[in-house]
Amino acid sequence: MKLEARSLECRRGDRVLFSGLDLALDAGEALRLAGRNGSGKTSLLRMLCGLTQPEQGEVLWCGQNIRRHREEFNSALVYLGHAAAIKDELLAWENLAMSAAIAGRPVDEDQACGALERLGLGAAVDLPARALSQGQRKRVALARLTLAQDRPLWVLDEPFTALDAAAVQALCETVDRHLAAGGMLIYTTHQEISLQARRHLRLELGGAA
């Protein structure tokens, strides 16, 4: 398995955020995108997921352009954006079950509750999302990862934001298991996080943060 980007260019209006960008990520590797606000980190994540198209260049998964092999690529991908995307009227476990179903991996109530418990939300599985703190809402979204260990490519935008120390540790353990099993990770964060990747790369966009 390999993810590659070749000569990517991103524009915002008349401004070029980055151009000629190349990268390659293999099994067991993690890539952290860094840079000041507005440097294009989220834009690059979305390009690598095929959610937006670059002005120039292409993204390849296992040597194939992701635009021409969308279904195969989607079956290997988990993308979690910066926003938790939680519905206030649903219970915590119902939110997780809904997001898993949308991703094509339906789960039952027991599976959803088990995933939430592994991220320290055992007491909150039957609470409506409107009653959850920002950190708890974030963990509901992140619980998808515990159900997606068989999807090799994880792309996470600021996954550690709003988490307390225990939740950060639990998420790191989930990610470490994924990497140890040959998974791949691309992420952004403003925190100093230690992950046990075979190779840990850093790509700085727009100069020093």
Side-chain angles (χ1 to χ4, degrees):
M1 292 180 297
K2 188 169 190 172
L3 180 75
E4 297 175 87
R6 298 178 180 173
S7 301
L8 293 187
E9 180 177 308
C10 177
R11 291 177 177 267
R12 185 173 295 158
D14 293 332
R15 179 187 171 203
V16 177
L17 296 183
F18 53 81
S19 64
L21 189 149
D22 298 315
L23 63 84
L25 195 68
D26 291 305
E29 295 183 344
L31 170 65
R32 177 182 175 183
L33 302 183
R36 62 179 179 264
N37 290 340
S39 61
K41 299 186 297 295
T42 294
S43 295
L44 178 53
L45 290 182
R46 291 179 61 81
M47 282 183 185
L48 295 174
C49 293
L51 297 174
T52 57
Q53 299 303 322
E55 295 290 331
Q56 300 289 335
E58 63 177 346
V59 178
L60 306 175
W61 174 250
C62 299
Q64 298 179 324
N65 188 296
I66 63 171
R67 295 180 64 183
R68 294 194 291 271
H69 297 84
R70 187 76 242 179
E71 185 174 344
E72 296 91 330
F73 180 62
N74 282 348
S75 69
L77 171 69
V78 175
Y79 170 68
L80 294 180
H82 186 272
I86 300 299
K87 291 187 176 295
D88 284 345
E89 66 274 16
L90 297 181
L91 304 180
W93 78 263
E94 290 174 332
N95 267 288
L96 178 56
M98 181 189 68
S99 63
I102 290 172
R105 301 297 297 274
V107 297
D108 60 26
E109 181 177 351
D110 287 342
Q111 290 171 311
C113 289
L116 292 169
E117 288 169 1
R118 286 192 286 277
L119 281 180
L121 283 174
V125 295
D126 288 321
L127 290 178
R130 68 173 64 89
L132 302 179
S133 69
Q134 284 300 109
Q136 288 174 320
R137 292 166 69 90
K138 186 77 172 201
R139 279 184 278 174
V140 171
L142 291 168
R144 267 189 61 198
L145 299 177
T146 69
L147 301 171
Q149 290 286 339
D150 61 336
R151 294 203 173 192
L153 178 60
W154 290 3
V155 180
L156 312 179
D157 196 355
E158 294 291 346
F160 300 99
T161 299
L163 298 184
D164 60 21
V168 168
Q169 179 62 33
L171 179 56
C172 285
E173 291 172 358
T174 297
V175 171
D176 284 340
R177 286 193 296 271
H178 176 67
L179 294 169
M184 306 154 74
L185 172 68
I186 303 173
Y187 70 108
T188 64
T189 183
H190 291 291
Q191 300 171 243
E192 290 304 317
I193 300 296
S194 178
L195 297 175
Q196 299 176 13
R198 295 175 192 170
R199 189 167 65 127
H200 203 149
L201 309 170
R202 178 184 171 102
L203 177 62
E204 190 86 28
L205 295 177

